Amino acid sequence: NGVVRVVSGGKLTINGDGLLDAYSPNNGWCMVIWADGGEVIINGGTYTNKNAYSPTDSDHYDLIYVKNGGKVTINGGTFIDETPRWTLNHNNDYQGTIIVNGGKFYDFDPSNVDTDDREGATVVGKDYCSVKEGDYYVVKAHNYEIPGYDNDNHYDACQCGAKENVEA
């Protein structure tokens, strides 16, 4: 059904450069990873549902999905969702987390997820930031190389918009 499902008590670690494409010509199950109470660690690879198909719902295909306390940690990889807004998603009625510490995201900013209103449900990891360079990349640490001036203060800024070294 186009999904790798990890249930409560299960743990899956994915390493390498392989491709997981949630191709599903017969139903709407076009998510690649579903952490249904289990834990998934992604350390590379390419994850797509670009061949998604559903006769009734063509504007909502989850790529990475958590529910029932599931946890996904993304340390790297490339993520291409047929409907980019749903690249990382939660079931709003259940607890679960997605932590992003790296990766390339097609037309999706993992630091600005709008599919779940719970604070901290999806986060870009501490000391990481999301940078747009065509696609979005989550990279280690902020790169404060852009000088700025705002309201009589000098600062250095990162590409992601974070500021430091504010001087009076």
Side-chain angles (χ1 to χ4, degrees):
N1 286 329
V3 64
V4 174
R5 182 177 174 210
V6 181
V7 297
S8 184
K11 183 174 181 179
L12 173 66
T13 300
I14 302 172
N15 296 311
D17 296 323
L19 168 67
L20 289 173
D21 180 26
Y23 174 71
S24 183
N26 300 316
N27 61 43
W29 289 93
C30 288
M31 66 185 78
V32 175
I33 301 293
W34 177 8
D36 189 2
E39 180 179 1
V40 179
I41 299 169
I42 299 173
N43 294 320
T46 300
Y47 305 83
T48 72
N49 62 5
K50 61 184 177 182
N51 294 312
Y53 167 78
S54 173
T56 60
D57 185 11
S58 62
D59 65 348
H60 180 163
Y61 299 115
D62 299 318
L63 189 66
I64 308 294
Y65 183 74
V66 297
K67 86 180 236 186
N68 291 331
K71 179 179 180 182
V72 173
T73 302
I74 299 172
N75 297 316
T78 300
F79 303 87
I80 305 167
D81 193 333
E82 181 76 17
T83 54
R85 177 179 182 215
W86 303 98
T87 300
L88 306 177
N89 192 27
H90 304 80
N91 181 304
N92 287 338
D93 297 332
Y94 302 92
Q95 293 296 315
T97 58
I98 300 173
I99 300 169
V100 184
N101 297 323
K104 175 183 175 183
F105 296 83
Y106 170 77
D107 203 20
F108 175 80
D109 182 358
S111 71
N112 190 23
V113 177
D114 68 354
T115 59
D116 190 345
D117 57 7
R118 290 181 296 118
E119 186 71 28
T122 298
V123 297
V124 171
K126 185 179 187 239
D127 298 325
Y128 290 83
C129 68
S130 178
V131 175
K132 182 167 178 50
E133 293 179 1
D135 292 318
Y136 288 90
Y137 294 82
V138 174
V139 296
K140 177 76 172 156
H142 296 283
N143 184 6
Y144 295 103
E145 293 183 347
I146 304 168
Y149 183 79
D150 186 16
N151 298 326
D152 297 324
N153 293 311
H154 293 275
Y155 61 82
D156 294 325
C158 178
Q159 281 182 290
C160 72
K163 299 176 184 177
E164 77 165 4
N165 300 332
V166 176
E167 299 173 9

